[in-house]
Amino acid sequence: QVQLQESGPGLVKPSDTLSLSCAVSGYSISNSDWWGWVRQPPGKGLEWIGYIYYTGTAYYIPSLRSRVTMSVDTSKNQFSLKLSSVTAVDTAVYYCARMNKLEGIVDAFDIWGQGTMVTVSS
Amino acid sequence: DIQMTQSPSSLSASVGDRVTITCRASQSITSYLNWYQQKPGKAPKVLIYAASRLQSGVPSRFSGSGSGTDFTLTISSLQPEDFATYYCQQSYSTPWTFGQGTKVEIK
């Protein structure tokens, strides 16, 4: 079955770059799908960060566009998120997810990683 | 950006109750509306997509309705495992946006 697993540092210093990877198993990342990131600050709701196609085309939330970069590594079957110049407001659980057009009708995140907590602190 | 507004923010209900959560979009999103369930410490799980279609494996006590700007998630008979937070999310246009969530608690 398809599984996603986030990895990366749990603690990042202010002004540094947050770097996370999402390893995909049981499925080829090149199977014409989009792959996304969602974050959730402690005790708060969900925020869509963006998604990337396996060819590298990406869409980002405007409020983070100047600081976000997503990439895909098909040889490792994984995709990644980089968020630069982080501050305390970037502290959150970060989820990776697969975007799927369910029944060919509507896009949704149908498979999620378990999430990884990233704290921005000195 | 399309704003998604859920109501109520939280509710208390008993096992067996019928529960209704509403979601309103700031502009028409036709039927590009998904509902997710999130339990504490867990990733969200898609329940309903395209406003009214039940995701595979989701119990039939969950249902969704609506189109345009107004949508509803209904749990026909609340079960103990349904106590969670529910989010609506639009995939009509980027940036995708979520409602603020509705926490369903035990009365």
Side-chain angles (χ1 to χ4, degrees):
Chain A
Q1 89 249 33
V2 185
Q3 291 186 311
L4 280 64
Q5 179 67 59
E6 304 91 349
S7 62
L11 181 65
V12 181
K13 289 183 167 53
S15 79
D16 282 357
T17 296
L18 178 161
S19 295
L20 297 175
S21 294
C22 181
V24 180
S25 59
Y27 191 84
S28 172
I29 203 167
S30 303
N31 275 0
S32 300
D33 288 298
W34 293 78
W35 304 89
W37 293 92
V38 174
R39 69 180 182 178
Q40 185 171 38
K44 296 189 177 180
L46 302 166
E47 179 179 51
W48 178 85
I49 300 173
Y51 47 57
I52 185 167
Y53 197 53
Y54 77 101
T55 57
T57 299
Y59 294 90
Y60 306 136
I61 189 170
S63 60
L64 297 178
R65 187 172 290 141
S66 63
R67 298 195 290 130
V68 169
T69 303
M70 294 181 186
S71 60
V72 173
D73 188 336
T74 54
S75 66
K76 294 182 179 179
N77 214 43
Q78 68 180 35
F79 59 105
S80 300
L81 168 72
K82 290 188 187 298
L83 181 64
S84 64
S85 304
V86 297
T87 68
V89 298
D90 296 310
T91 294
V93 175
Y94 286 76
Y95 294 100
C96 61
R98 183 183 75 172
M99 186 177 94
N100 193 13
K101 190 176 286 291
L102 300 178
E103 285 193 28
I105 301 172
V106 156
D107 294 317
F109 285 135
D110 68 335
I111 308 288
W112 295 65
Q114 65 184 25
T116 187
M117 179 69 201
V118 179
T119 301
V120 178
S121 175
S122 56
Chain B
D1 299 3
I2 297 174
Q3 306 302 315
M4 307 299 293
T5 303
Q6 285 181 236
S7 61
S9 295
S10 65
L11 64 90
S12 295
S14 300
V15 172
D17 283 354
R18 182 182 182 87
V19 169
T20 299
I21 299 168
T22 63
C23 177
R24 174 164 288 176
S26 60
Q27 66 181 73
S28 176
I29 56 171
T30 63
S31 294
Y32 287 80
L33 190 282
N34 306 313
W35 289 98
Y36 296 84
Q37 176 193 64
Q38 186 181 33
K39 296 182 178 179
K42 300 294 187 182
K45 166 188 166 184
V46 62
L47 298 176
I48 301 283
Y49 61 96
S52 61
R53 298 187 180 239
L54 200 64
Q55 172 69 331
S56 175
V58 174
S60 59
R61 62 181 178 273
F62 291 93
S63 64
S65 64
S67 66
T69 60
D70 294 313
F71 302 87
T72 300
L73 173 70
T74 299
I75 309 172
S76 60
S77 177
L78 198 65
Q79 298 301 301
E81 60 268 31
D82 301 336
F83 292 95
T85 300
Y86 294 85
Y87 294 92
C88 61
Q89 174 254 320
Q90 64 83 17
S91 57
Y92 180 80
S93 65
T94 57
W96 285 10
T97 43
F98 292 87
Q100 81 278 18
T102 296
K103 187 174 184 179
V104 176
E105 298 175 300
I106 302 172
K107 181 182 282 185

